[in-house]
Amino acid sequence: MEYLAHYGPSLCVKFHGDLVYAANGPFLHCYNYHTGELKRRCRIFHRNKIHGICIGKDGGLLLYGGNSVLIADLQDVNERTCLMEREKSVNGWIISGEFSYSGDQVYLLTSYNKVIICDKFGRFMMNKSLREEKSILYSGSITVYSQDKVYINAGTVMGGILLWDLYAEKMVHNLKGHEGSIFFVTESADGRYVASCSDDRSIRLWDLRTGELLSVGWGHTARIWNLKFFDSGNRIVSVSEDCTCRVWEICQRGNNIDLIQQNIYEVHLTKNVWGVDVDSTGRKVVTTGNDGRIKITNLGDQLGTEEEQKCYTVEEIFDRTNVPLEKGEIIKGFEWFDFGLVAITSTGKIFLLSSTKDSWIYLTKNDKFSSYSITHGVPDENVIVFANNRGDLLLLKFSDDGERIVAKTEYHCSNLSKTTNCLIRKDSSSALLVLLESPNPRDHLVCLKFSLSTLTHLDTYHFTKPANFVSTCIDVHQNFLLIGSRFSTLAVYDLTATASMPYVIRNLNPGDTTTSIKHVEDQGSSSLFSVTNRDGYYNIIKVNLTQDASHRIIHSNKIVRGFLEGADFDDRGDFITFGFKSSLFYVYNETACYEVFSHICGGAHRQWKLSQDSKSYTLVYIKASDIYIKRFKKAATRETLFAGIHGREIRDITVQKHRKFNDGFLFCTASEDTTMKLMHIEPKSGRLTNYWTQRKHVSGLQRCQFINETLMISCSAREELFLWEIDAQAECSRPYMTLRQTLPTSSGNPDLRIMDFDVKFDSKGENFIMATVYSDSAIKLWLYNHKENSFSLILSGHYKTCCLLNVLLEVLRDQLYLITSPTDGHLVYYNISNQIPFKIDVDDNSLTFGDLKLCESELPEFDCKLQVHQSGIKTIDSVMKTNGDLVIFTGGDDNALGITVASVNKSTAKICARVADFQEKAAASTITSCNLICNATKLLTTSVDQTLRLWSVTEEKLVLIDSSYTTIADTGSSDCVSIDESTNLALVGGVGLSVVQLS
Amino acid sequence: MGKSSKDKRDLYYRKAKEQGYRARSAFKLLQLNDEFHFLDDPSLKRVVDLCAAPGSWSQVLSRKLFQDERATADRKIVAVDLQTMSPIDHVTTLQADITHPRTLARILELFGDQKADFVCSDGAPDVTGLHDLDEYVQQQLIMSALQLAACILKPGGTFVAKIFRGRDIDMLYSQMGYLFDRVTCAKPRSSRGTSLEAFIVCQQYNPPSGWQPRLDLDQSVQEFFQGCFRGSDSPDVGPWHETPRDIAPFMACGSLDSFDSDATY
Ligand SMILES: C[S@@+](CC[C@H](N)C(=O)[O-])C[C@H]1O[C@@H](n2cnc3c(N)ncnc32)[C@H](O)[C@@H]1O
């Protein structure tokens, strides 16, 4: 077994020049944070995770975790991929480590408040401790002031902080005040302050000289794990279980020193940020968390310096331009350009703001646009369009610097008596399309075409408006115009055949207003569009516009929370969404699951516009009739060095083995955090790409499984079972996934879990039957009809009252059996052949639709029941022997691994089963998953003792042939895929994900 | 989903209410006893219940030891927890931290020079979510309980402690093997199958002959066990080495038709 890659909780991180060193289990990763490139990866420890990184003045490197320590040089990490043979064991758990002042010694603070001092080669020199204070510590740190002044900060469980002098072995302060365990404590480098955090969610700032409590910082909504002083000891950054990172300022007001929360950044997923560091300029923070993400947050960009946020009152604009302000005159519309802003007032006055000069210019006044106007622009063409409600349009084109108007057109559209909406879009031939809509449902939609260089009118189209249609957004692709509407409706018009009726797509999702349509990519003769809905839903639809238009939703999902105003793929292929949540405007990276930025603007009910170029986002909005311009620089560096996986346990993994995608494999993970991720693995390097995070489940997942080339099933509590369709075309830049069907539920009990399912397809490979087993001992059988896309219940019953953990559907001697494993350690066999609407072929055991009528029947008595394990069977895999016997492999909570052979007795036609092999001590803890590989000649098991074991299977006997420790805790799931005759790839999930190559 | 709401749906929770137990944990001890019968031994007289709050194990112990009111003269139950506990008949309660050597000294005082027959600990620290740290702290809690057991158990006595079967559990099994003749990993059916919780049942206390358990207030637990088992006397810093590991036999406790804690009712 060879570890290819490991993703999971990262406990510590450090900046060093242009590099970021981050721990990842027992590996040390080194990234260039400007390019995001992973430069080096070095295995440090055999079993332990790296909990701390120190870099000495002369390039010395100290790594520790658990009872392991490694003292090396940065150079070693550059040259070697494994330093494991230099790992040292310490008698005790290392809480903290540090280099001495001269750098030739190392201090290690261990969990019973003892400091071990050793030399650079890890040779023991001496011990130091504080008399009678050897209680267990949760945290601690070491501050080195000089060769002989070293302070130890020890964070105890009950007794507060023990601050002691290392060489004097004397207590300096016992700082008490926190409630509960101290989770971190540190001193500022200048020796002014001590900062600590604890179970009680507060940060406390103490005077190091007097031991006096100076200030208490409240803000975090969960436990705080780590703190760091920066900015010469004037600021602190904290990270917490609440997934945020916060910046605090130490403010001196007279004699008072206060800890003021300056900023909050949502940096990680679901739970726990562990590591934090600040770069030497104090402008960048790097954090690591349970999700394995390495996140860079730019403090400089969000601290709101003068040039980045501007606000102008109407009075100020008029003052500056010497134009008299009329009574009640307000800003009605605006558009942001490279050169600045163009805005129109309620009396039709047009002003221009030059952003470089910060000067306002009064351009012109047009009475036609007083009282009612709609404003839109094409920022990259420097064109602005004003429309009123009587069909008048004013189009202006500016020079690049905004100094001159290079083209101007006034146009009157006489076809509509009244217009209530105007939408614009640039088409592929660099023409501008302007869509005008009247409130009268019988009126046509009018689309005007202008040249973008001269603004001359080129063409006019008239389109029939569908019923119940109120346009909200448009897109143009090739010669098709797509118009989004309220009620989640979309209409597609052919610009070359204006007389034809539109292709209308209704009820795209449960939401109401369609907020954006964006062409994504083409797939053969079809085009893909992303469509967003204000209520938070987004879809990718595949539209075939040739001849008989048709469409299919190939991707559907919902954002975490808030209103969704638009979305687009960025240059890297990440899906970026934006909108409002409560009083915030946000931009979110949906692919990597992090917030790009957010800004408190007061909520969704104001006039606003977001524009972006390669360097920045600009949000312009009106609040209390003032105009606000907020600019966010796009990070020049990567925002995540690794996007991370799930914040909590991966409960199941399924690899799409039927076919490859992009020279690798697609796979799905189902997590306790209620989400599923669709990812890709590159088999040579083990590199992962995350495509989508599905949020359809509302409870922690149990299982997920690909059932054929395109379909996948997932299940969880609340009786949730979803059938997914994965659209993965080689010519597309990414796969898409959409919900195809939901299984009907029987009760509202939130605790009723679907524990497992199995399917059997008919001989055509279209319809299938599916068995589901439940936590209340229920067993159900369903028929999925492909054509009708429906599930119908055909069989139901209960085993007893205990929870059922696994289910298999198997054909043995032309009989169909449902085999389930309850928590009582048995395997229970039901013959359900008479209850299914299929005939079972005697020769190849395949199912074909018979003439049995579809009706719901009772689960028959079980055929056979055999105890294999002492308690719950956690995992099951099976193989059919050539003689028609079924061999079932089971792993249990009782640490055991069993082989059961089931066959049908010819004379009684009943199942008879026997346990062929039983390995009592197959693991030190619960066996959670098993996979048969290499034509069922080998079995891979994972167990909670964090060990992967490879067994050979010969003549129904198991022999252990290899085992390997994994750093993934709560090891709970695995799936294997063969990459060639001799090599298998195993994905192992738990709190993290490991990629192991089995040769 | 909050833990408490799940507890309320649990059948064991209702059953505990019916039978007057303060917590559903009582059934874990009862089911362990169904298999090992350590509480059915008529010579069982003196017991220590560590990490005992709110006290359902103490209730079970009290009912077992004092069911026959006549022969109770030299019987004793001491229960210790960080939390306060409301009184239980025949149980002496102590509010203290069991990882503190001073607490152990106080318990020893309560027993005078008499030995105990049975020491149990159902303790669990607050988890942080950092798996290896949590597991380490849990093992240190067990080590503190074991330290007391080593000082107070009569030869042949029994020690029962809650464990979480994580990555280093086999190391703990191996260490227990130095002090007891029989070590079993037992899982009561009332303990959820989805949790890593189980109980280590150590029978026949029989410490290594060359090792003298001696409580010293200035010693950490770790120092207490120096010389007791392999690995306990390793140097402060030394080359990395594998620690001895051992897999204890597994025993599911409670009859198969007892309630299933994973089931939905
Ligand atoms: C699961 S409860 C015990 C339940 C108990 N056996 C019953 O049946 O009622 C775990 C207990 O361990 C206690 N505990 C944890 N750490 C402790 C320590 N260091 N010293 C004493 N008690 C501790 C907690 O206060 C908590 O009450």
Side-chain angles (χ1 to χ4, degrees), chain B residues 23 25-26 49 51-57 80-83 96-99 122-125 141 162:
Chain B
S25 326
D49 181 12
C51 304
S56 73
W57 280 29
V80 188
D81 201 287
L82 288 175
Q83 317 284 330
D97 173 8
I98 68 152
T99 67
D122 188 24
L141 203 61
K162 168 150 51 207

Side-chain angles (χ1 to χ4, degrees), chain A residues 404-568:
Chain A
R404 289 168 302 118
I405 292 174
V406 293
K408 175 179 172 179
T409 294
E410 277 197 63
Y411 185 87
H412 178 72
C413 169
S414 48
N415 311 68
L416 300 172
S417 54
K418 190 166 187 230
T419 56
T420 45
N421 201 4
C422 166
L423 296 164
I424 71 169
R425 195 69 146 205
K426 178 179 162 177
D427 75 4
S428 52
S429 65
S430 271
L432 176 68
L433 296 180
V434 177
L435 181 80
L436 294 175
E437 183 182 1
S438 102
N440 184 343
R442 280 181 303 274
D443 277 353
H444 282 168
L445 290 164
V446 176
C447 182
L448 305 163
K449 187 169 174 177
F450 296 91
S451 149
L452 269 169
S453 49
T454 60
L455 299 183
T456 44
H457 175 239
L458 302 174
D459 214 340
T460 302
Y461 309 92
H462 295 268
F463 298 122
T464 315
K465 187 154 68 168
N468 253 331
F469 198 85
V470 182
S471 64
T472 51
C473 55
I474 60 170
D475 194 24
V476 192
H477 180 61
Q478 294 161 352
N479 51 334
F480 293 95
L481 180 70
L482 293 90
I483 308 177
S485 149
R486 298 191 51 190
F487 317 116
S488 213
T489 303
L490 208 68
V492 186
Y493 294 91
D494 187 343
L495 289 165
T496 57
T498 52
S500 63
M501 293 300 280
Y503 179 67
V504 182
I505 303 168
R506 290 197 189 272
N507 299 324
L508 262 173
N509 51 46
D512 182 7
T513 300
T514 309
T515 45
S516 79
I517 307 169
K518 269 271 162 100
H519 174 251
V520 174
E521 59 184 322
D522 289 333
Q523 196 185 89
S525 56
S526 299
S527 299
L528 310 191
F529 295 89
S530 93
V531 181
T532 60
N533 193 287
R534 182 155 296 140
D535 294 336
Y537 300 91
Y538 63 86
N539 294 309
I540 309 286
I541 53 169
K542 186 197 274 191
V543 189
N544 188 332
L545 300 168
T546 51
Q547 292 153 15
D548 299 322
S550 65
H551 83 279
R552 224 152 55 80
I553 298 174
I554 57 167
H555 190 84
S556 55
N557 204 357
K558 191 173 193 273
I559 59 165
V560 188
R561 65 195 141 115
F563 295 115
L564 178 58
E565 298 293 345
D568 203 357

Side-chain angles (χ1 to χ4, degrees), chain A residues 236-522:
Chain A
I236 294 174
V237 58
S238 61
V239 294
S240 152
E241 186 174 11
D242 68 11
C243 297
T244 68
C245 149
R246 295 174 195 234
V247 174
W248 307 77
E249 192 164 13
I250 301 169
C251 300
Q252 183 135 21
R253 292 206 200 101
N255 284 336
N256 280 347
I257 289 180
D258 284 324
L259 204 52
I260 310 281
Q261 182 175 308
Q262 243 181 354
N263 241 316
I264 309 171
Y265 306 93
E266 290 231 4
V267 281
H268 289 265
L269 294 171
T270 335
K271 237 180 177 187
N272 293 325
V273 190
W274 301 120
V276 62
D277 196 24
V278 185
D279 78 338
S280 55
T281 67
R283 291 175 67 87
K284 279 187 182 1
V285 168
V286 62
T287 51
T288 57
N290 227 45
D291 53 6
R293 170 180 297 173
I294 307 169
K295 173 87 175 71
I296 304 230
T297 302
N298 228 314
L299 300 183
D301 286 355
Q302 295 203 4
L303 280 177
T305 51
E306 204 52 39
E307 55 173 41
E308 283 153 5
Q309 161 142 11
K310 291 215 169 102
C311 169
Y312 302 94
T313 62
V314 191
E315 291 80 5
E316 190 182 348
I317 298 168
F318 280 82
D319 257 12
R320 290 227 225 157
T321 46
N322 277 321
V323 179
L325 179 67
E326 289 173 48
K327 192 163 176 278
E329 190 167 1
I330 53 166
I331 306 284
K332 277 299 251 192
F334 46 81
E335 185 66 52
W336 179 262
F337 297 92
D338 255 6
F339 57 78
L341 188 84
V342 178
I344 187 164
T345 72
S346 52
T347 63
K349 296 195 189 81
I350 301 171
F351 293 90
L352 182 145
L353 168 72
S354 157
S355 60
T356 45
K357 292 190 243 161
D358 188 30
S359 62
W360 282 95
I361 304 158
Y362 171 63
L363 292 178
T364 177
K365 181 170 191 244
N366 191 322
D367 288 330
K368 287 186 194 140
F369 300 94
S370 64
S371 79
Y372 186 93
S373 65
I374 295 173
T375 310
H376 286 298
V378 187
D380 56 343
E381 296 283 347
N382 299 324
V383 167
I384 195 161
V385 178
F386 302 103
N388 67 10
N389 53 0
R390 294 179 300 274
D392 295 309
L393 290 175
L394 172 63
L395 292 81
L396 300 175
K397 185 178 173 77
F398 296 91
S399 58
D400 284 344
D401 55 10
E403 300 275 312
R404 289 168 302 118
I405 292 174
V406 293
K408 175 179 172 179
T409 294
E410 277 197 63
Y411 185 87
H412 178 72
C413 169
S414 48
N415 311 68
L416 300 172
S417 54
K418 190 166 187 230
T419 56
T420 45
N421 201 4
C422 166
L423 296 164
I424 71 169
R425 195 69 146 205
K426 178 179 162 177
D427 75 4
S428 52
S429 65
S430 271
L432 176 68
L433 296 180
V434 177
L435 181 80
L436 294 175
E437 183 182 1
S438 102
N440 184 343
R442 280 181 303 274
D443 277 353
H444 282 168
L445 290 164
V446 176
C447 182
L448 305 163
K449 187 169 174 177
F450 296 91
S451 149
L452 269 169
S453 49
T454 60
L455 299 183
T456 44
H457 175 239
L458 302 174
D459 214 340
T460 302
Y461 309 92
H462 295 268
F463 298 122
T464 315
K465 187 154 68 168
N468 253 331
F469 198 85
V470 182
S471 64
T472 51
C473 55
I474 60 170
D475 194 24
V476 192
H477 180 61
Q478 294 161 352
N479 51 334
F480 293 95
L481 180 70
L482 293 90
I483 308 177
S485 149
R486 298 191 51 190
F487 317 116
S488 213
T489 303
L490 208 68
V492 186
Y493 294 91
D494 187 343
L495 289 165
T496 57
T498 52
S500 63
M501 293 300 280
Y503 179 67
V504 182
I505 303 168
R506 290 197 189 272
N507 299 324
L508 262 173
N509 51 46
D512 182 7
T513 300
T514 309
T515 45
S516 79
I517 307 169
K518 269 271 162 100
H519 174 251
V520 174
E521 59 184 322
D522 289 333

